[in-house]
Amino acid sequence: KAGVTQTPRYLIKTRGQQVTLSCSPISGHRSVSWYQQTPGQGLQFLFEYFSETQRNKGNFPGRFSGRQFSNSRSEMNVSTLELGDSALYLCASSPQADNYGYTFGSGTRLTVV
Amino acid sequence: QQQVKQSPQSLIVQKGGISIINCAYENTAFDYFPWYQQFPGKGPALLIAIRPDVSEKKEGRFTISFNKSAKQFSLHIMDSQPGDSATYFCAALLTGTASKLTFGTGTRLQVTL
């Protein structure tokens, strides 16, 4: 059974650019959540999607957005990149809406220069 | 703000020893408490989890102890091995229509020979 797949694994972007990260959940999983991981702030919740609907959003500026497609795949977008957006972005999927049994992907390492 | 406080920040244990990591939470509505293990370059992986109606759960060398009245829970790793060297995160989940994991700040465990 394939795990959560995140692409790309590494990205280097310039300040002011925008970036789109992709997440393919485990087959059959309908809930997808995104987290930002940094050494200073730890793991912080970005947003969660279930059946193409955003159910919850963390305390991040509007530059951070996401969406979920009908096949449960999800993308997140960050516009007008800032140096502080450099982080590991993690996607997690779970079978149901209750989010028990989260499975994380290996993440996308974003570096903003 | 819902918080989960984790200690210690780092821990060095000899091979065969017991590793203990502690967490405390504030929101009594949390109803699921997982522990995650993260190796460098990987996403967090679910290690073991407990619900608040149980005081202890054991899976192999890993045990969660849960004290509902004190709002504390801890991870015990028995017979610690060098392969256990990783960062450990406690977390708490409030399930429902807006469920999301709230993570502790992480403990970097090093098991020495």
Side-chain angles (χ1 to χ4, degrees):
Chain A
K1 188 175 184 181
V4 178
T5 303
Q6 291 189 246
T7 56
R9 287 296 314 273
Y10 302 93
L11 263 179
I12 300 176
K13 289 286 187 178
T14 304
R15 266 185 308 175
Q17 287 186 314
Q18 75 166 20
V19 66
T20 299
L21 312 181
S22 180
C23 172
S24 294
I26 291 173
S27 178
H29 284 198
R30 297 168 62 193
S31 173
V32 173
S33 299
W34 289 88
Y35 288 80
Q36 182 196 63
Q37 186 174 24
T38 60
Q41 299 297 318
L43 282 149
Q44 292 190 292
F45 173 78
L46 279 157
F47 25 66
E48 186 228 350
Y49 289 88
F50 182 79
S51 293
E52 301 180 67
T53 300
Q54 185 182 89
R55 295 200 308 163
N56 202 359
K57 190 177 189 324
N59 190 25
F60 279 82
R63 301 184 296 106
F64 291 81
S65 63
R67 59 178 175 169
Q68 186 180 33
F69 302 96
S70 58
N71 62 358
S72 293
R73 191 177 71 83
S74 177
E75 289 181 348
M76 68 163 281
N77 185 78
V78 187
S79 62
T80 319
L81 283 165
E82 301 177 0
L83 295 179
D85 297 333
S86 295
L88 180 65
Y89 290 89
L90 292 159
C91 167
S93 73
S94 64
Q96 305 294 337
D98 55 22
N99 284 326
Y100 294 125
Y102 260 7
T103 300
F104 281 87
S106 293
T108 294
R109 171 74 62 186
L110 172 65
T111 302
V112 182
V113 296
Chain B
Q1 184 180 356
Q2 300 174 351
Q3 285 188 340
V4 177
K5 296 181 180 179
Q6 183 172 347
S7 64
Q9 189 173 12
S10 63
L11 182 60
I12 300 175
V13 173
Q14 280 195 329
K15 179 182 176 182
I18 303 174
S19 304
I20 301 174
I21 304 170
N22 300 299
C23 284
Y25 62 97
E26 298 176 353
N27 188 343
T28 56
F30 284 135
D31 55 1
Y32 180 69
F33 299 87
W35 284 89
Y36 286 85
Q37 178 189 57
Q38 185 177 28
F39 293 104
K42 299 290 187 182
L46 179 64
L47 193 60
I48 186 173
I50 197 168
R51 294 175 192 256
D53 54 347
V54 176
S55 61
E56 185 175 282
K57 183 175 181 180
K58 184 176 181 179
E59 289 184 1
R61 296 185 294 108
F62 301 92
T63 300
I64 299 178
S65 296
F66 190 86
N67 186 329
K68 190 174 182 178
S69 61
K71 294 188 288 185
Q72 296 175 345
F73 59 110
S74 60
L75 175 69
H76 292 66
I77 305 174
M78 313 299 288
D79 187 27
S80 299
Q81 299 296 313
D84 296 332
S85 298
T87 300
Y88 292 81
F89 293 93
C90 62
L93 180 65
L94 174 62
T95 60
T97 57
S99 64
K100 64 174 184 177
L101 278 171
T102 300
F103 283 91
T105 50
T107 296
R108 183 170 293 183
L109 170 65
Q110 182 182 353
V111 181
T112 61
L113 294 171

